[in-house]
Amino acid sequence: MRWSRRATPGEPLVDQLKAALADDRVQAGEGAKQLFSRDASVIVGGRVGVVCFPETTAEVQACVCAARRHGRAFVARGAGTGLAGGAVPCDDPVVIVTTRMNRILEVDVDARVAWVEPGVVNLDLTRHLAGTGLHFAPDPSSQQSCTIGGNIANNSGGPHCLAYGVTTEHVLALEVVLPSGEVTVLGGLEPDAVGYDLRGAFVGGEGTLGIATRIALRLTDNPPAIRTMLVDFAEVADAGALVSAIIGAGIVPAAIEMMDRRCIEAVEAYVHAGYPTDAAAVLIVELDGLPGGVAHETAIVEELAAENNARTVRVAQDDAERTLIWKGRKTAFGAIARIKPNYYLHDTVIPRTKLVEVLESVYEIVDRYDLIVVNVFHAGDGNLHPLLVFDQREPGVLERVHRAGAEIVETSMAAGGALSGEHGIGLEKLKFMHLMFSPDDLDAQARLRAVFDPELVANPAKVLPSGASCGDIQGLAKMPDGAWV
Ligand SMILES: Cc1cc2nc3c(=O)[nH]c(=O)nc-3n(C[C@H](O)[C@H](O)[C@H](O)COP(=O)(O)OP(=O)(O)OC[C@H]3O[C@@H](n4cnc5c(N)ncnc54)[C@H](O)[C@@H]3O)c2cc1C
């Protein structure tokens, strides 16, 4: 174990943190402050107090306690791939980066449980499980870099969450450092934990209820058979209709992902996966389960595809072809850079039956603001991801992007949707919370938060409008006509 000097009361914050961790794991220079001032969203302007890299629960606890002694807030940070500004620091907090807490502590194959530290990268866990017949089901498209701690805080989803459920379905127990500095365990390994589901409250809490330091995850059996199909259409409406038809037929595929023409063109030029570049839309439909059932459902999907005017149905013949089809989907955001250097990725949920109607509105809104949109999303659960692509060097373009984005959110809500499918609220969606929740709803949530964090020191200014104090951060800017965008 690393030796550390005991902190002396009255010492400056940085010195206390260095005493608790180590000199090289506490950074307060301009370089570090710049680097950790934002996440993968377009939101800029966060101010970092000091950045810490703890390696143990005790060190996280020491960081939280030092922050508290100095009247500072703290914010947990994983890989910084969040898209809603969740890890963007507000009010000079102590930024607690978990990437050095990246050990897979224990895998119990018989119990199908893994204990991990929060900085474990999502895909590293599934790679670690190779040969056990098990995997970790939530698979965000960022899984090569995002951390399990970030997945838990945002209750992340991914293509295969349609059948397997989002992160909360796969978390059994959490060791957390509470905002008071106490360490506790929420949830348990037993099937039906008694008492309030505080584990459930913590997952999706976006770091406002404390910091997860050890996590017990439920592992999922690898399916015995998988069939992956690429279905292409001349009309987006037909692709949308097939999504509803598949679910309506009682089939719940492991994944149904949709890409529109612009996305197909960008991806194909990037990965050469054999996507038809003249299609208006493609669907990736993946079925898994026992071989007989998968064969039966494949035949039904092929029939439904024909009934819904699909042009072709390509069934992957082997693992290499399956991987290639998925590579196109999983690298879509990178491929977009071929169109313009910047993007703003929105994340709303709409009823599946309104998919086509809302997509048409999205195209109309984006045309009106003279922008480009690329659509690539989890169609099976109605989770839209319109990417507004732009070049931020173009004067005034960011304002148009924010305005169009706001209209897309409002349109999704008017269609009976939800503010976020997986990216969370962070700073980005604060201003829209009133579209989904009444003042009483928001007050009830604020009271729950206050049980964990009465002084609002854990990731303040996030999730609930009442906690907001970061109005100067771009992305929450007030436009000339007075509208908040
Ligand atoms: C290219 C790309 C594709 C993406 N695809 C998907 C997708 O398919 N599905 C999806 O859901 N998301 C997706 N995302 C968004 C993002 O990757 C996820 O939200 C991810 O879970 C964030 O993990 P992170 O480690 O980067 O967290 P960060 O961005 O570092 O933090 C996110 C939030 O988690 C909190 N946090 C981090 N660690 C802890 C902890 N230990 N305890 C408590 N709170 C903590 C932070 O305070 C912050 O509020 C994508 C992002 C990119 C850039």
Side-chain angles (χ1 to χ4, degrees):
M1 180 181 271
R2 181 183 286 275
W3 174 84
S4 67
R5 176 171 69 80
R6 285 185 76 80
T8 313
E11 255 184 324
L13 174 62
V14 171
D15 292 345
Q16 282 199 2
L17 289 167
K18 284 185 174 175
L21 275 61
D23 281 4
D24 62 337
R25 290 193 285 115
V26 178
Q27 295 176 13
E30 276 316 305
K33 286 188 177 180
Q34 188 66 28
L35 198 59
F36 291 94
S37 67
R38 56 180 303 181
D39 60 6
S41 69
V42 299
I43 296 168
V44 292
R47 281 187 303 270
V48 172
V50 50
V51 187
C52 303
F53 300 87
E55 292 181 348
T56 62
T57 301
E59 289 186 353
V60 172
Q61 190 180 29
C63 294
V64 168
C65 290
R68 297 296 310 261
R69 273 195 297 275
H70 286 81
R72 291 288 187 94
F74 63 88
V75 53
R77 183 184 174 98
T81 66
L83 288 164
V88 172
C90 291
D91 302 336
D92 306 303
V94 174
V95 178
I96 301 174
V97 184
T98 63
T99 49
R100 294 180 76 120
M101 299 176 72
N102 60 357
R103 285 160 290 226
I104 295 168
L105 301 168
E106 186 188 329
V107 175
D108 183 337
V109 173
D110 293 334
R112 288 165 168 62
V113 174
W115 276 98
V116 304
E117 291 184 329
V120 169
V121 169
N122 175 300
L123 191 59
D124 286 352
L125 175 57
T126 286
R127 285 193 177 127
H128 181 85
L129 294 168
T132 63
L134 300 170
H135 68 289
F136 180 55
D139 60 340
S141 304
S142 53
Q143 69 182 145
Q144 295 187 10
S145 42
C146 66
T147 66
I148 300 288
N151 297 169
I152 279 162
N154 284 350
N155 194 13
S156 298
H160 290 85
C161 292
L162 174 61
Y164 292 99
V166 293
T167 300
T168 193
E169 309 289 341
H170 305 274
V171 178
L172 294 165
L174 298 147
E175 176 191 80
V176 304
V177 176
L178 294 169
S180 62
E182 292 160 287
V183 179
T184 189
V185 175
L186 309 176
L189 301 187
E190 63 276 24
D192 288 310
V194 288
Y196 296 113
D197 182 12
L198 299 178
R199 174 215 63 90
F202 190 93
V203 178
E206 301 191 32
T208 62
L209 306 184
I211 302 184
T213 47
R214 281 194 316 137
I215 303 138
L217 296 169
R218 189 196 305 280
L219 303 176
T220 302
D221 288 311
N222 295 344
I226 304 176
R227 196 65 68 83
T228 306
M229 288 171 264
L230 185 75
V231 191
D232 81 277
F233 299 86
E235 299 291 337
V236 175
D238 290 328
L242 179 58
V243 175
S244 295
I246 292 171
I247 304 286
I251 297 173
V252 183
I256 310 183
E257 298 287 301
M258 191 190 288
M259 286 182 251
D260 70 1
R261 183 190 310 253
R262 228 181 249 281
C263 184
I264 298 165
E265 286 170 354
V267 163
E268 184 54 22
Y270 188 49
V271 296
H272 311 293
Y275 289 4
T277 48
D278 59 341
V282 295
L283 292 180
I284 297 174
V285 182
E286 185 158 285
L287 299 162
D288 69 9
L290 294 171
V294 169
H296 177 66
E297 289 186 340
T298 302
I300 297 177
V301 171
E302 284 177 317
E303 258 171 51
L304 293 171
E307 282 169 21
N308 286 282
N309 308 317
R311 299 191 315 178
T312 58
V313 179
R314 171 179 155 196
V315 183
Q317 296 304 308
D318 50 32
D319 271 357
E321 190 176 358
R322 173 175 177 252
T323 305
L324 193 60
I325 290 176
W326 273 114
K327 190 175 175 195
R329 166 62 183 93
K330 297 238 173 181
T331 55
F333 298 162
I336 301 304
R338 303 178 78 90
I339 305 174
K340 297 259 183 185
N342 307 101
Y343 66 76
Y344 190 141
L345 172 54
H346 273 278
D347 161 48
T348 60
V349 184
I350 53 163
R352 232 178 345 245
T353 48
K354 303 250 176 99
L355 208 59
V356 175
E357 184 188 315
V358 175
L359 271 182
E360 279 167 3
S361 299
V362 168
Y363 290 125
E364 182 278 316
I365 292 166
V366 166
D367 282 350
R368 199 155 26 82
Y369 285 99
D370 194 20
L371 293 166
I372 296 172
V373 68
V374 171
N375 282 292
V376 44
F377 59 99
H378 313 312
D381 44 21
N383 187 190
L384 287 190
H385 280 349
L387 278 113
L388 307 182
V389 287
F390 61 100
D391 183 343
Q392 67 183 10
R393 293 166 298 188
E394 200 185 303
V397 70
L398 202 53
E399 179 177 333
R400 281 188 282 126
V401 166
H402 283 308
R403 284 179 183 279
E407 284 197 35
I408 290 171
V409 173
E410 282 158 5
T411 302
S412 302
M413 297 305 294
L419 281 181
S420 168
E422 51 187 26
H423 298 167
I425 301 300
L427 282 169
E428 183 208 12
K429 294 266 174 64
L430 279 176
K431 56 196 174 290
F432 299 114
M433 286 290 270
H434 69 280
L435 295 177
M436 190 157 174
F437 298 107
S438 70
D440 285 347
D441 294 335
L442 292 171
D443 185 51
Q445 293 184 51
R447 278 186 280 139
L448 172 65
R449 180 176 184 164
V451 171
F452 284 82
D453 183 18
E455 292 166 40
L456 290 181
V457 289
N459 207 5
K462 310 288 169 62
V463 185
L464 295 176
S466 57
S469 63
C470 266
D472 57 338
I473 286 187
Q474 276 184 43
L476 287 180
K478 205 165 194 177
M479 288 298 148
D481 65 0
W484 285 94
V485 297

